[in-house]
PDB file of all heavy atoms in Angstrom:
ATOM      1  N   LYS A  28      98.484  53.693  26.080  1.00 94.00           N
ATOM      2  CA  LYS A  28      97.648  54.825  26.483  1.00 94.00           C
ATOM      3  C   LYS A  28      96.249  54.647  25.904  1.00 94.00           C
ATOM      4  O   LYS A  28      96.082  54.507  24.689  1.00 94.00           O
ATOM      5  CB  LYS A  28      98.253  56.145  25.990  1.00 94.00           C
ATOM      6  CG  LYS A  28      97.458  57.385  26.442  1.00 94.00           C
ATOM      7  CD  LYS A  28      97.967  58.661  25.795  1.00 94.00           C
ATOM      8  CE  LYS A  28      97.470  58.758  24.360  1.00 94.00           C
ATOM      9  NZ  LYS A  28      97.776  60.062  23.740  1.00 94.00           N
ATOM     10  N   ASN A  38      78.609  47.561  30.796  1.00 65.00           N
ATOM     11  CA  ASN A  38      78.433  46.191  31.309  1.00 65.00           C
ATOM     12  C   ASN A  38      78.819  46.058  32.779  1.00 65.00           C
ATOM     13  O   ASN A  38      79.429  45.071  33.185  1.00 65.00           O
ATOM     14  CB  ASN A  38      79.254  45.187  30.476  1.00 65.00           C
ATOM     15  CG  ASN A  38      78.714  45.039  29.073  1.00 65.00           C
ATOM     16  OD1 ASN A  38      77.502  45.094  28.869  1.00 65.00           O
ATOM     17  ND2 ASN A  38      79.594  44.890  28.104  1.00 65.00           N
ATOM     18  N   LYS A  59      88.928  38.057  34.192  1.00 69.00           N
ATOM     19  CA  LYS A  59      87.906  37.435  33.372  1.00 69.00           C
ATOM     20  C   LYS A  59      87.979  37.856  31.905  1.00 69.00           C
ATOM     21  O   LYS A  59      87.412  37.205  31.038  1.00 69.00           O
ATOM     22  CB  LYS A  59      86.521  37.758  33.949  1.00 69.00           C
ATOM     23  CG  LYS A  59      86.290  37.075  35.291  1.00 69.00           C
ATOM     24  CD  LYS A  59      84.954  37.454  35.873  1.00 69.00           C
ATOM     25  CE  LYS A  59      84.711  36.728  37.193  1.00 69.00           C
ATOM     26  NZ  LYS A  59      83.445  37.122  37.814  1.00 69.00           N
ATOM     27  N   ASP A  78      79.250  62.988  48.756  1.00 74.00           N
ATOM     28  CA  ASP A  78      79.269  64.068  49.757  1.00 74.00           C
ATOM     29  C   ASP A  78      79.156  65.414  49.046  1.00 74.00           C
ATOM     30  O   ASP A  78      80.009  66.285  49.170  1.00 74.00           O
ATOM     31  CB  ASP A  78      80.523  63.997  50.632  1.00 74.00           C
ATOM     32  CG  ASP A  78      81.796  63.823  49.811  1.00 74.00           C
ATOM     33  OD1 ASP A  78      81.706  63.863  48.572  1.00 74.00           O
ATOM     34  OD2 ASP A  78      82.867  63.669  50.418  1.00 74.00           O
ATOM     35  N   ASN A  97      98.256  54.465  36.271  1.00 96.00           N
ATOM     36  CA  ASN A  97      99.008  53.451  35.530  1.00 96.00           C
ATOM     37  C   ASN A  97      98.680  52.099  36.140  1.00 96.00           C
ATOM     38  O   ASN A  97      98.573  51.964  37.369  1.00 96.00           O
ATOM     39  CB  ASN A  97     100.517  53.731  35.555  1.00 96.00           C
ATOM     40  CG  ASN A  97     101.096  53.821  36.950  1.00 96.00           C
ATOM     41  OD1 ASN A  97     100.881  54.815  37.636  1.00 96.00           O
ATOM     42  ND2 ASN A  97     101.849  52.806  37.372  1.00 96.00           N
ATOM     43  N   LEU A 116     107.501  62.121  39.800  1.00 97.00           N
ATOM     44  CA  LEU A 116     107.311  63.264  40.696  1.00 97.00           C
ATOM     45  C   LEU A 116     108.577  64.110  40.840  1.00 97.00           C
ATOM     46  O   LEU A 116     108.495  65.345  40.890  1.00 97.00           O
ATOM     47  CB  LEU A 116     106.852  62.783  42.074  1.00 97.00           C
ATOM     48  CG  LEU A 116     105.443  62.172  42.149  1.00 97.00           C
ATOM     49  CD1 LEU A 116     105.185  61.616  43.543  1.00 97.00           C
ATOM     50  CD2 LEU A 116     104.378  63.197  41.783  1.00 97.00           C
ATOM     51  N   PRO A 133     101.825  48.526  57.671  1.00 95.00           N
ATOM     52  CA  PRO A 133     102.844  48.102  58.641  1.00 95.00           C
ATOM     53  C   PRO A 133     103.583  46.825  58.289  1.00 95.00           C
ATOM     54  O   PRO A 133     104.796  46.714  58.528  1.00 95.00           O
ATOM     55  CB  PRO A 133     102.036  47.939  59.937  1.00 95.00           C
ATOM     56  CG  PRO A 133     100.898  48.896  59.789  1.00 95.00           C
ATOM     57  CD  PRO A 133     100.550  48.882  58.333  1.00 95.00           C
ATOM     58  N   PHE A 209      96.604  39.816  47.063  1.00 88.00           N
ATOM     59  CA  PHE A 209      95.864  38.776  47.784  1.00 88.00           C
ATOM     60  C   PHE A 209      94.458  38.626  47.227  1.00 88.00           C
ATOM     61  O   PHE A 209      93.932  39.521  46.549  1.00 88.00           O
ATOM     62  CB  PHE A 209      95.757  39.125  49.273  1.00 88.00           C
ATOM     63  CG  PHE A 209      97.073  39.257  49.976  1.00 88.00           C
ATOM     64  CD1 PHE A 209      97.482  40.487  50.469  1.00 88.00           C
ATOM     65  CD2 PHE A 209      97.917  38.164  50.150  1.00 88.00           C
ATOM     66  CE1 PHE A 209      98.689  40.640  51.123  1.00 88.00           C
ATOM     67  CE2 PHE A 209      99.123  38.291  50.793  1.00 88.00           C
ATOM     68  CZ  PHE A 209      99.521  39.532  51.277  1.00 88.00           C
ATOM     69  N   ASN A 224      98.592  42.475  40.592  1.00 93.00           N
ATOM     70  CA  ASN A 224      98.241  43.647  39.783  1.00 93.00           C
ATOM     71  C   ASN A 224      98.659  44.949  40.462  1.00 93.00           C
ATOM     72  O   ASN A 224      98.841  44.992  41.683  1.00 93.00           O
ATOM     73  CB  ASN A 224      96.724  43.698  39.548  1.00 93.00           C
ATOM     74  CG  ASN A 224      96.203  42.453  38.859  1.00 93.00           C
ATOM     75  OD1 ASN A 224      96.847  41.927  37.960  1.00 93.00           O
ATOM     76  ND2 ASN A 224      95.048  41.963  39.297  1.00 93.00           N
ATOM     77  N   THR A 341      88.491  65.203  23.998  1.00 84.00           N
ATOM     78  CA  THR A 341      87.902  65.549  22.702  1.00 84.00           C
ATOM     79  C   THR A 341      86.378  65.471  22.707  1.00 84.00           C
ATOM     80  O   THR A 341      85.715  66.251  22.021  1.00 84.00           O
ATOM     81  CB  THR A 341      88.443  64.623  21.602  1.00 84.00           C
ATOM     82  OG1 THR A 341      88.215  63.252  21.984  1.00 84.00           O
ATOM     83  CG2 THR A 341      89.927  64.840  21.404  1.00 84.00           C
ATOM     84  N   LYS A 443      81.940  42.717  41.341  1.00 33.00           N
ATOM     85  CA  LYS A 443      82.648  41.963  40.294  1.00 33.00           C
ATOM     86  C   LYS A 443      81.758  41.828  39.060  1.00 33.00           C
ATOM     87  O   LYS A 443      80.542  41.861  39.141  1.00 33.00           O
ATOM     88  CB  LYS A 443      83.010  40.566  40.808  1.00 33.00           C
ATOM     89  CG  LYS A 443      83.856  40.589  42.068  1.00 33.00           C
ATOM     90  CD  LYS A 443      84.194  39.173  42.482  1.00 33.00           C
ATOM     91  CE  LYS A 443      84.966  39.159  43.786  1.00 33.00           C
ATOM     92  NZ  LYS A 443      84.178  39.611  44.919  1.00 33.00           N
ATOM     93  N   THR A 446      80.389  37.496  34.839  1.00 57.00           N
ATOM     94  CA  THR A 446      80.568  36.615  33.684  1.00 57.00           C
ATOM     95  C   THR A 446      81.695  35.652  33.999  1.00 57.00           C
ATOM     96  O   THR A 446      82.633  35.998  34.723  1.00 57.00           O
ATOM     97  CB  THR A 446      80.935  37.417  32.420  1.00 57.00           C
ATOM     98  OG1 THR A 446      82.036  38.258  32.696  1.00 57.00           O
ATOM     99  CG2 THR A 446      79.765  38.259  31.953  1.00 57.00           C
ATOM    100  N   LEU A 452      89.922  31.107  26.294  1.00 81.00           N
ATOM    101  CA  LEU A 452      89.501  31.071  24.896  1.00 81.00           C
ATOM    102  C   LEU A 452      90.464  31.868  24.027  1.00 81.00           C
ATOM    103  O   LEU A 452      90.992  32.895  24.446  1.00 81.00           O
ATOM    104  CB  LEU A 452      88.092  31.659  24.755  1.00 81.00           C
ATOM    105  CG  LEU A 452      86.963  30.918  25.488  1.00 81.00           C
ATOM    106  CD1 LEU A 452      85.659  31.686  25.336  1.00 81.00           C
ATOM    107  CD2 LEU A 452      86.805  29.499  24.955  1.00 81.00           C
ATOM    108  N   ASP A 591      58.720  44.155  16.819  1.00 94.00           N
ATOM    109  CA  ASP A 591      57.371  44.712  16.695  1.00 94.00           C
ATOM    110  C   ASP A 591      57.345  46.195  16.357  1.00 94.00           C
ATOM    111  O   ASP A 591      56.409  46.663  15.704  1.00 94.00           O
ATOM    112  CB  ASP A 591      56.596  44.480  17.999  1.00 94.00           C
ATOM    113  CG  ASP A 591      56.567  43.011  18.384  1.00 94.00           C
ATOM    114  OD1 ASP A 591      56.285  42.189  17.495  1.00 94.00           O
ATOM    115  OD2 ASP A 591      56.848  42.688  19.556  1.00 94.00           O
ATOM    116  N   LEU A 593      59.918  50.207  16.445  1.00 95.00           N
ATOM    117  CA  LEU A 593      61.181  50.880  16.713  1.00 95.00           C
ATOM    118  C   LEU A 593      60.893  52.119  17.546  1.00 95.00           C
ATOM    119  O   LEU A 593      59.811  52.722  17.449  1.00 95.00           O
ATOM    120  CB  LEU A 593      61.898  51.236  15.411  1.00 95.00           C
ATOM    121  CG  LEU A 593      61.231  52.267  14.489  1.00 95.00           C
ATOM    122  CD1 LEU A 593      61.743  53.688  14.782  1.00 95.00           C
ATOM    123  CD2 LEU A 593      61.497  51.919  13.028  1.00 95.00           C
ATOM    124  N   GLU A 607      55.442  68.692  10.445  1.00 96.00           N
ATOM    125  CA  GLU A 607      56.805  68.161  10.415  1.00 96.00           C
ATOM    126  C   GLU A 607      56.795  66.634  10.458  1.00 96.00           C
ATOM    127  O   GLU A 607      57.578  65.980   9.753  1.00 96.00           O
ATOM    128  CB  GLU A 607      57.602  68.718  11.599  1.00 96.00           C
ATOM    129  CG  GLU A 607      57.938  70.196  11.454  1.00 96.00           C
ATOM    130  CD  GLU A 607      58.478  70.819  12.733  1.00 96.00           C
ATOM    131  OE1 GLU A 607      58.154  70.297  13.834  1.00 96.00           O
ATOM    132  OE2 GLU A 607      59.198  71.817  12.654  1.00 96.00           O
ATOM    133  N   LEU A 620      60.521  53.448  -1.181  1.00 96.00           N
ATOM    134  CA  LEU A 620      60.015  53.218  -2.533  1.00 96.00           C
ATOM    135  C   LEU A 620      61.109  53.284  -3.598  1.00 96.00           C
ATOM    136  O   LEU A 620      60.957  52.730  -4.691  1.00 96.00           O
ATOM    137  CB  LEU A 620      58.923  54.249  -2.857  1.00 96.00           C
ATOM    138  CG  LEU A 620      57.611  54.074  -2.078  1.00 96.00           C
ATOM    139  CD1 LEU A 620      56.682  55.251  -2.341  1.00 96.00           C
ATOM    140  CD2 LEU A 620      56.928  52.757  -2.456  1.00 96.00           C
ATOM    141  N   LEU A 625      71.580  48.792   0.140  1.00 95.00           N
ATOM    142  CA  LEU A 625      72.451  49.308   1.194  1.00 95.00           C
ATOM    143  C   LEU A 625      73.899  48.962   0.892  1.00 95.00           C
ATOM    144  O   LEU A 625      74.183  47.908   0.298  1.00 95.00           O
ATOM    145  CB  LEU A 625      72.060  48.730   2.557  1.00 95.00           C
ATOM    146  CG  LEU A 625      70.999  49.521   3.345  1.00 95.00           C
ATOM    147  CD1 LEU A 625      69.631  49.411   2.677  1.00 95.00           C
ATOM    148  CD2 LEU A 625      70.923  49.040   4.790  1.00 95.00           C
ATOM    149  N   LEU A 731      29.895  62.791   9.568  1.00 90.00           N
ATOM    150  CA  LEU A 731      30.231  62.987  10.983  1.00 90.00           C
ATOM    151  C   LEU A 731      30.050  64.453  11.372  1.00 90.00           C
ATOM    152  O   LEU A 731      29.519  64.761  12.446  1.00 90.00           O
ATOM    153  CB  LEU A 731      31.677  62.545  11.246  1.00 90.00           C
ATOM    154  CG  LEU A 731      32.168  62.651  12.696  1.00 90.00           C
ATOM    155  CD1 LEU A 731      31.325  61.803  13.620  1.00 90.00           C
ATOM    156  CD2 LEU A 731      33.637  62.228  12.785  1.00 90.00           C
ATOM    157  N   MET A 766      10.226  84.227  56.841  1.00 85.00           N
ATOM    158  CA  MET A 766      11.014  85.323  57.397  1.00 85.00           C
ATOM    159  C   MET A 766      11.776  84.832  58.619  1.00 85.00           C
ATOM    160  O   MET A 766      11.218  84.194  59.510  1.00 85.00           O
ATOM    161  CB  MET A 766      10.112  86.488  57.790  1.00 85.00           C
ATOM    162  CG  MET A 766       9.333  87.089  56.635  1.00 85.00           C
ATOM    163  SD  MET A 766      10.399  87.746  55.326  1.00 85.00           S
ATOM    164  CE  MET A 766      11.207  89.098  56.197  1.00 85.00           C
ATOM    165  N   ASP A 797      20.475  59.432  44.476  1.00 62.00           N
ATOM    166  CA  ASP A 797      20.162  58.167  45.136  1.00 62.00           C
ATOM    167  C   ASP A 797      20.990  57.956  46.400  1.00 62.00           C
ATOM    168  O   ASP A 797      20.526  57.365  47.363  1.00 62.00           O
ATOM    169  CB  ASP A 797      20.399  57.001  44.164  1.00 62.00           C
ATOM    170  CG  ASP A 797      19.385  57.023  43.016  1.00 62.00           C
ATOM    171  OD1 ASP A 797      18.298  57.604  43.223  1.00 62.00           O
ATOM    172  OD2 ASP A 797      19.707  56.492  41.949  1.00 62.00           O
ATOM    173  N   LYS A 813      24.709  91.951  58.043  1.00 88.00           N
ATOM    174  CA  LYS A 813      24.010  91.755  59.323  1.00 88.00           C
ATOM    175  C   LYS A 813      24.585  90.600  60.134  1.00 88.00           C
ATOM    176  O   LYS A 813      24.111  90.312  61.231  1.00 88.00           O
ATOM    177  CB  LYS A 813      22.526  91.487  59.048  1.00 88.00           C
ATOM    178  CG  LYS A 813      21.796  92.692  58.444  1.00 88.00           C
ATOM    179  CD  LYS A 813      20.335  92.366  58.176  1.00 88.00           C
ATOM    180  CE  LYS A 813      19.625  93.564  57.545  1.00 88.00           C
ATOM    181  NZ  LYS A 813      18.179  93.281  57.298  1.00 88.00           N
TER     182      LYS A 813
END
Side-chain angles (χ1 to χ4, degrees):
K28 183 188 78 172
N38 292 325
K59 292 177 178 177
D78 48 5
N97 57 286
L116 292 174
F209 300 114
N224 302 320
T341 55
K443 303 181 184 67
T446 52
L452 297 176
D591 305 313
L593 66 93
E607 289 168 334
L620 290 172
L625 271 70
L731 182 60
M766 299 300 294
D797 292 336
K813 294 179 181 181

